[in-house]
Structures are given as C-alpha cells and as structure tokens.
Amino acid sequence: MTEVGRERVLRAALELFGRDGVAGTTLSALRAASGVSVGSFYHHFAGKEQVAEALFVECITLYQDAFLAELKAHDGAREAVTGVVAFHVRWCTEHPARARFMFTERPVASTARAERNRMFFREVRAWWRVQARHGALKDLDGLTAFVLWLGPAQELCRLWLNGECPEPDGGQVESLSEAAWRSVGGTHGD
C-alpha cells in the first residue's frame, strides 16, 4: 500500500471511528470506506487497533506541534498561559473529528506514542520550570499544572464535541484563559 493508500485508511478511520467508535467499526467497513484491498491494508496495518494507534499518534502529533508553536510564540508567561488555552479551544473547533477521536478513544499504548508524549512533556516542563524559577508561574508538578491550565478548556471542548453545549465562544475562552492564569500564575507573574 502506498502512502496515499495508508492516508486513505487513516482518513476513513477518522470518519468511521468518529461515528461508530473503534469497537463499532468493522475491518471490512474500514477497508471498504478507504477503498484499499485486503493485501494493501495488511501491508501496513495488522488490524484496526493498529489503525487506531496510527491515527491517534497522527492526531496527537498535530496537536502537540501546534501547542508548542503557540507556547513559543509568547514572550511572557501570562500571554503563553492564556494563549495556549485559546489555542486549545481553537484547535478543537478547527479539528473537531480529530479532537473527538482523541477525547473518546484510547488505543493500546505504543512505543511511538509514549516517545512522542515524553518529548512533548519534557519540552513543556522545561518551559514551565524556567517560568517557575523566575516566579512567573507556580512551582507545580506536571499533572496539577496541566489540570489547572487546560482542564476547564478541555472539558468545555468535550461537552461541545459531544453535543451537550453550543460551540465555545470568545467570552468563554476569555473567562477560561483568565481562570487558568489565576490558577497557575506565580508571585511575579507578568
């Protein structure tokens, strides 16, 4: 299967997994929607679980790369914290199928995803430690920092993606951004 065929499987998986979930999607439906032969499919994927993992890694890579770009685009800690909250909501509204898949499916852990996450969190933690050393951010462990920083925005996006509320608006994003800053901003915040 060429990379074009691989991409066709991943695009079909994004649609089918988003609609029916990984468990509710049959391999034959995935192959039919992607238009690839059995042999072509098995050339790159051992089964739909490997498709789900490849799709998850692709989605998380796109999100994490954009997150880091947003983080680095700001000089001050306050601007970065609030900018990343706005980025998170914007990314979810611009990529609803990818965001829904990331929020609802947790494929079996893989080496590729683990390595990707290690690299991402190492970079974010390094940025955080510098800011905390200068008093711009509270000195928090990574999990607490993430929950305080992005937890409310992530929950708002999850509710919207599940159809439980309207699409997030600018006022909500501003409120969540300010709440995140009040939660994680340090004694010398800028």
Side-chain angles (χ1 to χ4, degrees):
M1 172 166 49
T2 65
E3 283 304 306
V4 171
R6 182 180 190 279
E7 289 305 309
R8 286 177 23 208
V9 170
L10 292 174
R11 296 298 64 78
L14 185 60
E15 179 183 335
L16 294 175
F17 294 167
R19 186 184 68 217
D20 304 326
V22 174
T25 301
T26 65
L27 189 54
S28 60
L30 183 55
R31 281 190 312 90
S34 65
V36 300
S37 69
V38 173
S40 292
F41 179 89
Y42 284 115
H43 179 70
H44 279 285
F45 300 108
K48 70 177 178 177
E49 291 76 17
Q50 288 72 32
V51 174
E53 176 57 22
L55 182 59
F56 200 87
V57 169
E58 179 183 273
C59 291
I60 202 133
T61 297
L62 291 169
Y63 175 84
Q64 290 174 346
D65 287 350
F67 181 107
L68 291 172
E70 181 70 32
L71 185 66
K72 294 172 184 176
H74 302 283
D75 292 328
R78 181 185 183 105
E79 293 80 12
V81 166
T82 59
V84 166
V85 171
F87 153 78
H88 179 80
V89 174
R90 184 175 62 250
W91 193 90
C92 290
T93 59
E94 290 174 357
H95 306 280
R98 290 180 183 282
R100 187 175 294 108
F101 176 72
M102 288 170 50
F103 285 154
T104 60
E105 299 290 343
R106 285 287 182 229
V108 175
S110 73
T111 304
R113 184 166 29 127
E115 182 54 37
R116 176 73 199 169
N117 281 336
R118 269 192 295 280
M119 180 193 75
F120 172 73
F121 288 112
R122 183 173 38 242
E123 201 163 335
V124 173
R125 280 192 301 268
W127 175 84
W128 193 281
R129 280 193 298 272
V130 169
Q131 301 300 322
R133 233 184 342 260
H134 295 288
L137 293 174
K138 292 177 182 171
D139 189 11
L140 301 168
D141 66 271
L143 180 61
T144 302
F146 173 80
V147 170
L148 291 172
W149 187 4
L150 290 172
Q154 188 165 349
E155 181 63 7
L156 177 64
C157 290
R158 187 192 65 75
L159 290 168
W160 170 67
L161 290 165
N162 287 339
E164 298 174 41
C165 69
E167 183 173 330
D169 63 37
Q172 290 170 316
V173 171
E174 186 176 330
S175 293
L176 294 177
S177 296
E178 285 305 309
W181 175 248
R182 285 191 306 275
S183 295
V184 302
T187 57
H188 299 101
D190 39 11

